[in-house]
Amino acid sequence: MRLETRAIHAGRGIDPATGAVSQPIHLTTTFERAPDGSFPSGLIYAREGNPNRNGLEECLAGLEGGEAAISFASGMAAIHAVFQSLRPGDHVIAPNDIYYGTKALLRDTFAGWGLRSTFVDMTDLAELRSAVQPETKLIWAETPSNPTLKITDLAGVIAIAREAGALTAIDNTWPTPLLTRPLELGADLVMHSTTKYFGGHCDITGGAIVARTKAGIAERIRTHQGRSGAIPSPFDCWLLLRGLATFPVRMRAHCEGAATVAAALNGHPQLTRVHYPGLATHPGHAIAARQMSLFGGMLAIEVAGGAEPAMQAAARLKLITRATSLGGVHTLIEHRKSIEGPESPTPDGLLRISIGLEHPQDLMEDLLQALG
Ligand SMILES: *Cc1c(COP(=O)(O)O)cnc(C)c1O
């Protein structure tokens, strides 16, 4: 089955008890044992598994092309479980412009636990190679990066990790498996904040890890989840499966809208830069063209004059919503530095835009009137 078909059929089926086409939501926390003590459905207790979660995980594994998927209560819970499956003394290499929550987790939480980390410019493979240590067990990558949409050569990163005997984990939240296929490139783990394009409507918080193989780190992550309990609720799993059915179609429209808006804003006199990997002037364009089938639904603009004029432009928007997050049907704009804090390397005048599913012409008109 192709991706679009899997998005609708994987992990679902007609309910055998009622013939229902849409799956029932199973709210039970526990499942009956047979008189001989066995568990006929394979289900025991809801922290370990539930029919809605199992269906969701089957669909997620199918979309990324992995053997196993583990779904979580949030993207951060999924990331946490990956690091927790390593050992104190292990070393992790991650991009210096990694999602700021992941950076805080490595630098503040896991450093105290003895997990060491080095942050590098992941677009520079020589710098990555020189950061490898004998204890390097995991290389984390994220492309396009947040919020300046830098492009990392995933095949290059994976080759360096293999040489080093380290695993690779790719945060594939932004491109999604419609655009980029890390497991096919040889990555070991793919991570998602399902809060974003997979959910697609800004109404559910979730995360997932998809693993190339069932054995090894995937087993440790699942065991850790069973103990720590960061599971999604049956209703969240149901909502997410519903959102996933339309994700490939939505994603194409997000990408088309973003490409149109980026092209229209590129060269605007009030902007010093437009960051979008689909633009031929983007420094990562050639690699993006190779490893992405489309260029994504996210872009960033830098308003001339810094934070003040950027905030003022955002304040003049009438249609576009000023809010954090991404991947939903509404177009969202955000002054990124004020969310990430004063230590963030994000430029002062940068506004990040998640293109929604409104007509691109309406979005362009709103942005042009706000920029003046
Ligand atoms: C949102 C996001 C996360 C964190 O996920 P939550 O669901 O908010 O916990 C991690 N990585 C990327 C790239 C994200 O956009």
Side-chain angles (χ1 to χ4, degrees), residues 74-76 79 99 142 171 173-174 191 193 195-196 205-206 326:
S74 70
M76 287 309 299
I79 297 167
Y99 178 74
E142 188 181 311
D171 185 335
T173 300
W174 281 31
M191 175 263 154
S193 166
T195 312
K196 315 293 169 54
T205 303
L326 60 118

Side-chain angles (χ1 to χ4, degrees), residues 86 136-140 161-162 165-169 188-189 217 220:
L86 301 175
T136 304
K137 290 286 153 52
L138 182 81
I139 299 180
W140 188 279
R162 288 231 168 131
L167 299 172
T168 37
D188 299 287
L189 299 174
I217 191 167
R220 296 204 296 279

Side-chain angles (χ1 to χ4, degrees), residues 332-349:
L332 304 181
I333 194 163
E334 159 173 63
H335 183 253
R336 193 67 198 163
K337 185 148 188 172
S338 46
I339 277 273
E340 294 182 342
E343 279 176 38
S344 149
T346 296
D348 286 334

Side-chain angles (χ1 to χ4, degrees), residues 192-361:
H192 278 279
S193 166
T194 56
T195 312
K196 315 293 169 54
Y197 289 107
F198 280 178
H201 297 77
C202 290
D203 54 11
I204 161 203
T205 303
I209 299 295
V210 185
R212 197 150 51 84
T213 60
K214 259 201 184 97
I217 191 167
E219 250 164 32
R220 296 204 296 279
I221 291 170
R222 190 176 288 286
T223 300
H224 170 66
Q225 182 189 47
R227 289 176 190 158
S228 67
I231 54 162
S233 74
F235 184 54
D236 283 350
C237 295
W238 185 92
L239 264 182
L240 197 46
L241 259 181
R242 190 181 66 159
L244 280 170
T246 55
F247 127 74
V249 177
R250 285 188 282 103
M251 196 63 202
R252 280 200 182 87
H254 286 299
C255 294
E256 192 187 313
T260 308
V261 171
L265 294 183
N266 199 23
H268 189 285
Q270 297 302 325
L271 300 178
T272 53
R273 269 185 93 168
V274 175
H275 301 269
Y276 186 65
L279 295 172
T281 49
H282 186 286
H285 178 68
I287 296 169
R290 197 167 70 225
Q291 75 185 16
M292 302 174 81
S293 62
L294 293 163
F295 295 105
M298 298 296 296
L299 64 121
I301 56 178
E302 285 184 43
V303 179
E308 265 305 300
M311 287 295 219
Q312 284 163 7
R316 284 192 292 268
L317 289 163
K318 296 186 173 117
L319 170 67
I320 295 173
T321 308
R322 288 176 300 278
T324 193
S325 201
L326 60 118
V329 294
H330 307 81
T331 294
L332 304 181
I333 194 163
E334 159 173 63
H335 183 253
R336 193 67 198 163
K337 185 148 188 172
S338 46
I339 277 273
E340 294 182 342
E343 279 176 38
S344 149
T346 296
D348 286 334
L350 185 138
L351 297 172
R352 190 185 79 175
I353 307 174
S354 167
I355 296 292
L357 298 181
E358 301 94 339
H359 197 290
Q361 195 67 39

